[in-house]
Amino acid sequence: MTNNVADHHPGNSVAEGNHEGDFGCSMVELRNLMELRSAEAVARLNDSYGGVQNVCKRLKTSPVEGLSGNPTDLEKRRQVFGQNFIPPKKAKTFLQLVWEALQDVTLIILEIAAIISLGLSFYHPPGGDNELCGQSTGGVEDEGESQAGWIEGAAILFSVIIVVLVTAFNDWSKEKQFRGLQSRIEQEQKFTVIRKGQVIQIPVAEIVVGDIAQIKYGDLLPADGILIQGNDLKIDESSLTGESDHVKKSLEKDPMLLSGTHVMEGSGRMVVTAVGINSQTGIIFTLLGAGEGDEEKKVKKGKKTGAPENRNKAKTQDGVALEIQPLKSQEGVENEEKEKKKVKVPKKEKSVLQGKLTRLAVQIGKAGLIMSAITVIILVLYFVIDTFGVQGRPWLAECTPIYIQYFVKFFIIGVTVLVVAVPEGLPLAVTISLAYSVKKMMKDNNLVRHLDACETMGNATAICSDKTGTLTMNRMTVVQAYVGDTHYRQIPDPEAILPKILDLIVNGVAINSAYTSKILPPEKEGGLPRQVGNKTECALLGFVLDLKQDYQAVRNEVPEEKLYKVYTFNSVRKSMSTVLKNGNGGFRMYSKGASEIILRKCTRILDKNGDPRLFKVKDRDEMVKKVIEPMACHGLRTICLAFRDFPADAEPDWDSENEILSDLTCIAVVGIEDPVRPEVPDAILKCQRAGITVRMVTGDNINTARAIATKCGILLPGEDFLCLEGKEFNRLIRNEKGEVEQEQLDKIWPKLRVLARSSPTDKHTLVKGIIDSTIGDQRQVVAVTGDGTNDGPALKKADVGFAMGIAGTDVAKEASDIILTDDNFTSIVKAVMWGRNVYDSISKFLQFQLTVNVVAVIVAFTGACITQDSPLKAVQMLWVNLIMDTFASLALATEPPSESLLLRKPYGRNKPLISRTMMKNILGHAVYQLTIIFTLLFAGEKFFDIDSGRNAPLHSPPTEHYTIVFNTFVMMQLFNEINARKIHGERNVFEAIYRNPIFCTVVLGTFAAQIIIVEFGGKPFSCSGLTLSQWFWCIFIGVGELLWGQLICTVPTSHLKFLKEAGHGITKEEIPEEELPEDVDEIDHAEMELRRGQILWFRGLNRIQTQMDVVYTFQTGASSLQGALRRQPSIVSQHHDVKNVSSPTHVALSSVNSTPTTSAVAAAAASPPAGNQSGECVP
């Protein structure tokens, strides 16, 4: 990216020369102008340019009509001012991904073992023929072994290569998919601009300097611009400045709008002045890109520092990437990718499952090491005692090489035991399982942005859902109306309403609503008309159409420029009003809003003749009782339409809002229905069965909320659940000082089901309270759905945040982990199913893998100790251990989920991976297999009437005896793979086996491969061909596994008290208090547990750092600051939401001037702002 910037400047200066005449200002001038803020900017605008209208003139654009849209003109603008596109960072190459996959601990152990064994196989010491050295029992390897010695090492290396390539390929295809997906999201992301006087939506990348863009609530600005006209515009600029307060924008005070910031309120129009890498966010990006190279070098220098630094770097950039993605930034994708990669490599895991797996792998590895050490010690002692003790030989110097060769052979046997003990398939199983699930979840309308969210979802115990759009269809329609003293239960006939009332309704709706809201014809024949813009306004516009009137004609007559004054809708006003100037100099104001609010301001109401009559308090109470409450109890939202005329003689004071908005005349009250999605009640029932509590958090009034919650099945008749309003909720949980008390909250949340009239802060408080709560035996795992800009904080705080793909604002999508592409609650249930499935798949694989490992280790160990030679040869072990396991992980990790997954309770955070039932299965099957193998080993030759393979002379070809042992072992694994399909002690292991073609293919394929190995494997595999009857016996013993499995099922787990669980999650107590940056291993565990919410505060901190980086381009203190950050995990978690940092920017800069001290950063870390209502994480 550095180059881009360098290349741009010379190019541009030339361009400026040529095009200076065409446009009245150059790119650099505009760029400098955009760097100013508020009063400075206004002054510069007026002095140098003569106001924003003149800027438009210089840019050859009309504030009303916009650009002409002429392709040559647009192309020229792109050449002069650049495109609205930030060039992507290069994707990781396949080799980089391979290198990342090689970092896996188990693989490293294997590689070392393989290289040692390869080296030793080529080393032949001299003096092998000396008689005096003795030919101790077991003899030196026969010729075949010594020639085939290299096969073992090569085979291990080969299998490592396979695992690495598969992992790398997985990552690569995922990255590719992710990029494709990102570009899909980007193409869908459009922005409203005016061209040739038409309001059109164009992809963000096509915006050029000089475009007139319409902005409204919830938008993420795609480019820098200057405000031309605005109503009540408030912007959250925390993504650029770190200030969480919303900034008011107006022509007089502060007209500068910056890319990457969010519109929190109001609407307006702006002229675009800088795009792509010249916009404020683009500039930051270019600087970050420049810093990238230096970082990489540092990482290569020291691996020790490398890991944490790398990790933080991804976060730093992720912090920035959050705001900039909409700028067509591929950079954001990269960071997502980085975050995802982190999940794969055990060094940097973040998720619950990864934590459990890493710990389990370490435990198993330790056990394997101990076993292999014991094996080696026993073999060495046996040899020494036998040679020098029993046979009493002297140690001769010339014999030393031979003795060393013996010891080396023992060491190799030890390594074989270790290789067998380590479950190589684990990393692969996890990778396959997650990648498979994410791919399939796409089909179920879940777009997973963070891989670990998929698996966290399986543990969810609570879902806090929005009402509008998630539980309901978000297709508002007017179904009842109260007009002219008559309550119509369905849409009235246009003839029934007097023309003058009808006229008021049409004007009141058409003019007094955002002109961006409109109803378009359906996309498909016979479909429903499309609603664009604000859904409530669309419902009213639909009502106008149902009355056979045309709202567009009215809008054409009164374009937006003619509106005299607009009071836009916001959460405080809960109403919207528009003032028009009449021909006679008077004014007319139309208002609409929540009926309880507007009716209080009404003093008259239109009667059935269309004449205003007095409307007193008792009339109002009666109306509430007779009209409004019955509507609310049907789950309708009530909206009141009203108007007021101001006389021509004196212009009212438009700023005293209370006086303006009074003395209104009520035109009508309408009831708007947002029907519950038909599939929601069923989905909620499934959640409740699965042990997940669904809570509804909504801004609607409590009657409507209660009615809808009952329809959905969130509230069940006859149960004592709480329905609270936001005010009441806050009164119950806050102390006198207004701080949230966790004990108070703990009394409320278990019973709370509906939170109505709630603010975004309430939602955040509730989610945080449930997550931090320690009552109950399981810590809660909370999923949250949200669509509005204001849901950002709650989405980030939650363990899994779901954003709405269709109705969601950009801000909500940025904060989420999973995007619901169809906005449907049932997709959340599917996500739960997939999450649980991932968990179960990995448990199934573990159950299979550990049985193989336990048996193989014991056989290798005892065999080596008793016969001084393992009955299962190294290459055979590898076949069983690496190849079969790799395929088994494929077979068991791709089991499709079934509805039965939703019939059990969630596992929770600290449930072990290997339950007692699984332990029972593992040990039970191990007993069966060991019994069979040892019987065959020591008595098999009598049973089959063949030569014994135990004390076969040296250099003899492979025996049938040992081949039968190997073959039976493999057959038992094969049938045990079928047993492993069930982990909760179910009896029917064949259930729905045909739904998983991969499983069937793998089992049959392995079987075929085994036949080939036994019959044609010969010397390398130490096999000799078997007769048909011997084959049948082997298969028969294998089938015995299935019967034995049924037997194990009958033994109740509860009676086996001695069984232990393994692979626990980390409990809170285990997290060490102080972490040191060097100690990478320790940090991983702390980080895993420093749940994502807190990691987000780290990102916030990193935002501060980003500001430093912008100034200092990664030159100073980045790494020391990182170190400081790493030291504070425990503090952050405790003071989660302390008071606001007055101005984080100062913290950042001061810490550059001095060396960044831990305390300065800790102070910032310990105090994320409490009242952050924006969708961004703020430092």
Side-chain angles (χ1 to χ4, degrees):
M1 265 168 91
T2 30
N3 319 1
N4 283 354
V5 183
D7 301 359
H8 264 63
H9 289 312
N12 284 339
S13 50
V14 176
E16 277 148 35
N18 305 348
H19 296 289
E20 196 66 61
D22 300 352
F23 298 110
C25 35
S26 68
M27 186 183 75
V28 181
E29 285 168 22
L30 286 174
R31 207 160 112 170
N32 296 340
L33 173 66
M34 289 320 291
E35 279 166 10
L36 303 174
R37 300 279 176 276
S38 51
E40 260 185 289
V42 178
R44 166 77 67 88
L45 246 184
N46 294 333
D47 300 349
S48 313
Y49 296 91
V52 68
Q53 297 294 340
N54 278 338
V55 173
C56 291
K57 274 208 190 93
R58 288 193 185 192
L59 289 174
K60 299 212 167 44
T61 177
S62 139
V64 183
E65 297 276 310
L67 294 175
S68 64
N70 173 353
T72 46
D73 174 49
L74 296 179
E75 193 41 52
K76 192 158 79 182
R77 287 173 190 273
R78 285 199 190 101
Q79 278 170 3
V80 182
F81 299 110
Q83 314 189 11
N84 197 15
F85 169 74
I86 292 183
K89 254 183 48 201
K90 285 208 302 289
K92 281 205 176 101
T93 59
F94 190 69
L95 287 175
Q96 278 171 306
L97 294 173
V98 168
W99 175 246
E100 273 185 9
L102 278 171
Q103 311 293 311
D104 191 79
V105 188
T106 35
L107 292 183
I108 291 172
I109 296 176
L110 284 175
E111 286 154 27
I112 294 170
I115 289 166
I116 291 175
S117 106
L118 261 182
L120 293 172
S121 68
F122 293 124
Y123 168 66
H124 294 295
D129 312 326
N130 197 324
E131 276 306 304
L132 289 170
C133 305
Q135 203 58 44
S136 84
T137 46
V140 183
E141 301 150 49
D142 54 60
E143 215 141 285
E145 278 279 289
S146 62
Q147 282 159 8
W150 62 272
I151 293 183
E152 185 180 339
I156 300 181
L157 279 182
F158 177 67
S159 55
V160 166
I161 291 169
I162 287 182
V163 172
V164 166
L165 287 179
V166 170
T167 315
F169 178 74
N170 253 331
D171 286 357
W172 178 78
S173 62
K174 198 180 76 245
E175 188 150 329
K176 201 167 117 220
Q177 252 179 342
F178 195 82
R179 282 177 169 251
L181 199 107
Q182 194 63 21
S183 60
R184 210 186 83 197
I185 294 177
E186 281 168 357
Q187 281 152 15
E188 281 172 8
Q189 196 185 359
K190 297 198 159 49
F191 208 78
T192 315
V193 296
I194 301 175
R195 288 194 180 163
K196 269 207 294 231
Q198 293 289 315
V199 177
I200 56 168
Q201 292 210 322
I202 60 170
V204 174
E206 290 179 17
I207 293 177
V208 294
V209 171
D211 257 324
I212 305 296
Q214 284 197 342
I215 53 178
K216 59 178 190 313
Y217 160 82
D219 280 343
L220 205 156
L221 299 183
D224 291 355
I226 304 175
L227 191 65
I228 302 177
Q229 170 256 321
N231 311 317
D232 268 350
L233 202 57
K234 285 195 188 145
I235 304 252
D236 166 26
E237 295 190 346
S238 59
S239 56
L240 284 179
T241 60
E243 298 288 352
S244 61
D245 300 336
H246 298 170
V247 187
K248 266 205 168 109
K249 296 287 180 185
S250 62
L251 288 167
E252 303 75 50
K253 303 265 169 57
D254 182 2
M256 297 313 206
L257 301 168
L258 306 171
S259 59
T261 58
H262 300 124
V263 183
M264 301 309 281
E265 218 175 277
S267 61
R269 290 205 315 270
M270 70 172 188
V271 55
V272 176
T273 54
V275 292
I277 51 171
N278 303 311
S279 64
Q280 293 304 301
T281 4
I283 293 171
I284 291 183
F285 249 131
T286 346
L287 289 173
L288 280 178
E292 191 70 334
D294 323 339
E295 279 293 88
E296 291 298 323
K297 284 180 206 125
K298 269 191 228 160
V299 173
K300 286 205 180 81
K301 253 184 232 155
K303 201 65 220 132
K304 196 83 176 173
T305 53
E309 197 166 284
N310 234 348
R311 189 177 317 148
N312 271 346
K313 187 172 70 190
K315 274 193 226 153
T316 319
Q317 285 176 342
D318 200 52
V320 178
L322 279 175
E323 308 84 50
I324 311 179
Q325 247 157 312
L327 277 183
K328 297 286 133 294
S329 123
Q330 279 287 330
E331 177 94 49
V333 185
E334 257 11 283
N335 292 310
E336 286 294 339
E337 269 315 310
K338 271 202 189 154
E339 289 282 310
K340 287 199 179 179
K341 268 319 121 38
K342 303 277 138 119
V343 177
K344 283 293 156 51
V345 186
K347 253 204 207 110
K348 318 177 178 104
E349 76 258 310
K350 294 226 170 57
S351 79
V352 185
L353 178 68
Q354 291 284 352
K356 292 179 181 180
L357 278 176
T358 306
R359 299 188 64 160
L360 187 68
V362 169
Q363 286 167 356
I364 295 173
K366 281 181 187 160
L369 261 176
I370 294 168
M371 284 294 278
S372 60
I374 295 174
T375 314
V376 174
I377 291 166
I378 289 178
L379 286 171
V380 169
L381 285 178
Y382 186 97
F383 173 75
V384 170
I385 291 168
D386 187 57
T387 311
F388 304 121
V390 181
Q391 298 180 24
R393 294 172 185 272
W395 180 294
L396 299 170
E398 65 266 23
C399 288
T400 310
I402 291 182
Y403 295 147
I404 287 180
Q405 203 176 0
Y406 272 117
F407 293 152
V408 164
K409 180 188 169 192
F410 300 149
F411 176 72
I412 288 185
I413 292 178
V415 169
T416 311
V417 173
L418 175 64
V419 170
V420 171
V422 177
E424 303 76 14
L426 253 188
L428 195 66
V430 181
T431 309
I432 292 178
S433 184
L434 282 174
Y436 173 76
S437 303
V438 168
K439 204 169 186 167
K440 288 279 191 250
M441 281 170 82
M442 277 291 296
K443 291 203 176 92
D444 281 339
N445 303 310
N446 281 301
L447 185 83
V448 182
R449 291 185 61 214
H450 298 132
L451 258 188
D452 52 346
C454 167
E455 150 262 314
T456 314
M457 206 45 221
N459 293 330
T461 54
I463 298 176
C464 295
S465 172
D466 264 9
K467 175 179 79 71
T468 311
T470 318
L471 300 173
T472 60
M473 290 173 140
N474 201 10
R475 231 205 117 72
M476 313 264 187
T477 40
V478 173
V479 289
Q480 297 189 16
Y482 179 85
V483 186
D485 288 346
T486 323
H487 187 169
Y488 298 95
R489 303 279 165 176
Q490 55 257 4
I491 302 271
D493 188 44
E495 266 71 76
I497 301 174
L498 289 175
K500 58 178 174 182
I501 301 187
L502 197 55
D503 201 42
L504 280 169
I505 292 178
V506 175
N507 282 330
V509 171
I511 294 169
N512 185 29
S513 57
Y515 279 30
T516 47
S517 304
K518 41 185 178 288
I519 292 189
L520 302 178
E523 283 175 340
K524 298 188 191 72
E525 279 297 307
L528 291 165
R530 280 183 299 157
Q531 299 186 336
V532 181
N534 181 315
K535 296 290 192 255
T536 314
E537 294 186 338
C538 287
L540 294 168
L541 293 171
F543 178 53
V544 169
L545 295 177
D546 289 339
L547 293 173
K548 309 281 186 289
Q549 303 296 316
D550 179 15
Y551 66 86
Q552 197 53 52
V554 179
R555 286 186 174 177
N556 296 344
E557 222 170 279
V558 187
E560 264 183 296
E561 289 66 60
K562 288 200 186 161
L563 305 182
Y564 191 79
K565 172 92 181 134
V566 180
Y567 299 95
T568 53
F569 182 90
N570 64 27
S571 49
V572 183
R573 270 191 204 125
K574 292 225 186 300
S575 69
M576 172 175 178
S577 309
T578 305
V579 183
L580 290 176
K581 194 164 188 169
N582 298 340
N584 61 4
F587 299 95
R588 167 167 284 185
M589 177 176 77
Y590 291 107
S591 296
K592 67 166 195 289
S595 54
E596 58 256 45
I597 291 172
I598 296 280
L599 284 177
R600 269 194 225 119
K601 314 270 171 80
C602 287
T603 50
R604 294 182 193 73
I605 187 166
L606 298 179
D607 63 13
K608 54 177 176 292
N609 303 322
D611 301 323
R613 63 175 162 83
L614 278 181
F615 185 64
K616 301 202 184 72
V617 177
K618 73 170 198 314
D619 298 336
R620 188 174 77 219
D621 294 344
E622 190 180 350
M623 183 153 170
V624 167
K625 254 199 211 68
K626 294 258 175 71
V627 179
I628 289 167
E629 278 182 3
M631 283 186 184
C633 291
H634 283 131
L636 305 183
R637 296 170 75 166
T638 51
I639 301 282
C640 177
L641 302 172
F643 76 102
R644 175 181 179 184
D645 284 326
F646 298 94
D649 42 12
E651 180 162 343
D653 171 15
W654 298 115
D655 288 339
S656 61
E657 227 175 286
N658 289 341
E659 281 164 34
I660 299 286
L661 208 63
S662 62
D663 201 19
L664 303 177
T665 305
C666 170
I667 309 171
V669 173
V670 294
I672 295 181
E673 179 186 41
D674 186 5
V676 171
R677 288 171 177 266
E679 61 279 359
V680 162
D682 197 32
I684 286 181
L685 190 66
K686 280 183 192 162
C687 285
Q688 287 160 345
R689 272 199 220 120
I692 301 170
T693 316
V694 183
R695 295 183 173 80
M696 180 164 107
V697 184
T698 174
D700 248 342
N701 86 35
I702 194 147
N703 291 334
T704 312
R706 197 183 279 123
I708 299 244
T710 316
K711 280 185 193 166
C712 291
I714 292 176
L715 293 176
L716 300 170
E719 300 195 23
D720 59 332
F721 289 142
L722 287 175
C723 288
L724 292 178
E725 286 204 336
K727 277 195 199 115
E728 179 67 1
F729 172 70
N730 278 312
R731 196 178 58 72
L732 292 170
I733 62 165
R734 293 181 190 271
N735 57 17
E736 305 79 72
K737 294 188 197 138
E739 293 157 351
V740 177
E741 299 250 332
Q742 187 69 42
E743 298 89 71
Q744 304 294 89
L745 227 168
D746 285 348
K747 288 181 197 152
I748 290 177
W749 72 255
K751 282 195 174 172
L752 182 69
R753 288 296 177 275
V754 175
L755 187 57
R757 285 273 179 246
S758 67
S759 69
T761 332
D762 297 340
K763 192 173 190 175
H764 182 254
T765 310
L766 177 66
V767 171
K768 180 178 178 305
I770 298 180
I771 289 180
D772 294 347
S773 170
T774 47
I775 57 172
D777 45 357
Q778 286 287 6
R779 297 236 325 275
Q780 296 275 322
V781 179
V782 183
V784 170
T785 69
D787 52 4
T789 308
N790 46 18
D791 293 327
L795 286 173
K796 287 202 165 155
K797 179 69 193 128
D799 294 289
V800 183
F802 285 92
M804 301 296 140
I806 304 169
T809 54
D810 302 336
V811 186
K813 290 179 190 171
E814 289 299 331
S816 69
D817 301 300
I818 298 181
I819 297 175
L820 296 179
T821 48
D822 64 345
D823 287 14
N824 196 333
F825 189 81
T826 42
S827 305
I828 299 178
V829 181
K830 297 229 176 80
V832 172
M833 222 156 76
W834 276 108
R836 292 187 172 189
N837 194 45
V838 167
Y839 219 88
D840 281 7
S841 298
I842 287 163
S843 294
K844 286 171 191 173
F845 174 70
L846 273 173
Q847 178 174 301
F848 169 73
Q849 167 91 59
L850 292 179
T851 315
V852 180
N853 286 7
V854 169
V855 174
V857 167
I858 293 175
V859 169
F861 176 72
T862 45
C865 296
I866 296 169
T867 64
Q868 300 253 301
D869 187 19
S870 172
L872 295 171
K873 298 288 179 290
V875 180
Q876 297 176 351
M877 281 291 198
L878 282 167
W879 158 243
V880 170
N881 210 23
L882 289 162
I883 314 304
M884 276 182 66
D885 285 0
T886 308
F887 284 118
S889 70
L890 185 69
L892 290 167
T894 52
E895 285 272 316
S898 63
E899 290 282 328
S900 59
L901 285 169
L902 293 175
L903 297 176
R904 62 170 175 76
K905 298 278 174 275
Y907 284 150
R909 272 176 204 288
N910 25 25
K911 162 100 170 51
L913 270 178
I914 299 176
S915 61
R916 289 182 43 186
T917 314
M918 286 169 62
M919 205 49 122
K920 176 185 76 175
N921 291 345
I922 291 171
L923 296 177
H925 287 294
V927 168
Y928 173 82
Q929 296 186 11
L930 286 170
T931 318
I932 296 278
I933 284 178
F934 284 133
T935 313
L936 285 177
L937 193 58
F938 296 113
E941 71 273 19
K942 299 188 187 65
F943 179 76
F944 283 110
D945 192 25
I946 45 178
D947 298 332
S948 163
R950 276 197 312 287
N951 28 26
L954 292 180
H955 311 312
S956 60
T959 58
E960 285 185 348
H961 182 190
Y962 271 21
T963 307
I964 289 178
V965 173
F966 166 59
N967 199 19
T968 310
F969 180 64
V970 172
M971 288 301 126
M972 290 194 293
Q973 300 321 328
L974 210 55
F975 285 97
N976 194 32
E977 198 169 320
I978 300 175
N979 274 331
R981 289 185 70 238
K982 298 286 176 239
I983 49 174
H984 297 297
E986 299 93 328
R987 284 200 174 278
N988 181 5
V989 288
F990 288 103
E991 185 191 356
I993 196 165
Y994 54 85
R995 277 180 60 212
N996 189 353
I998 300 182
F999 186 88
C1000 306
T1001 319
V1002 166
V1003 171
L1004 295 173
T1006 318
F1007 185 63
Q1010 178 64 18
I1011 295 178
I1012 293 168
I1013 286 175
V1014 170
E1015 295 303 317
F1016 310 107
K1019 198 85 185 209
F1021 280 96
S1022 326
C1023 287
S1024 76
L1026 300 180
T1027 64
L1028 203 58
S1029 70
Q1030 288 166 342
W1031 265 104
F1032 276 126
W1033 273 110
C1034 292
I1035 295 173
F1036 171 69
I1037 294 172
V1039 175
E1041 267 288 301
L1042 295 174
L1043 305 172
W1044 182 255
Q1046 295 301 310
L1047 196 72
I1048 295 179
C1049 282
T1050 357
V1051 181
T1053 316
S1054 48
H1055 290 185
L1056 307 171
K1057 290 278 181 284
F1058 60 87
L1059 289 179
K1060 287 274 185 294
E1061 301 152 323
H1064 286 270
I1066 296 192
T1067 48
K1068 266 187 172 170
E1069 298 73 63
E1070 284 179 51
I1071 302 177
E1073 273 300 293
E1074 270 301 310
E1075 294 295 8
L1076 299 172
E1078 292 81 43
D1079 211 332
V1080 180
D1081 270 351
E1082 293 294 304
I1083 282 175
D1084 289 346
H1085 298 317
E1087 265 208 356
M1088 250 155 11
E1089 206 35 39
L1090 258 185
R1091 300 231 318 291
R1092 270 204 342 282
Q1094 296 157 18
I1095 286 171
L1096 281 161
W1097 291 124
F1098 270 138
R1099 259 187 217 169
L1101 268 175
N1102 279 322
R1103 175 85 35 80
I1104 301 180
Q1105 194 194 326
T1106 307
Q1107 284 150 15
M1108 292 164 32
D1109 296 348
V1110 172
V1111 187
Y1112 271 65
T1113 321
F1114 285 104
Q1115 281 161 6
T1116 32
S1119 47
S1120 42
L1121 187 74
Q1122 312 276 22
L1125 293 187
R1126 301 317 307 277
R1127 259 172 244 134
Q1128 294 303 330
S1130 37
I1131 298 187
V1132 183
S1133 49
Q1134 287 153 19
H1135 315 291
H1136 226 11
D1137 281 352
V1138 204
K1139 292 288 162 282
N1140 218 326
V1141 190
S1142 57
S1143 161
T1145 340
H1146 303 325
V1147 182
L1149 294 173
S1150 61
S1151 52
V1152 170
N1153 305 341
S1154 60
T1155 39
T1157 50
T1158 314
S1159 52
V1161 180
S1167 42
N1172 165 23
Q1173 284 171 26
S1174 68
E1176 274 305 328
C1177 48
V1178 238

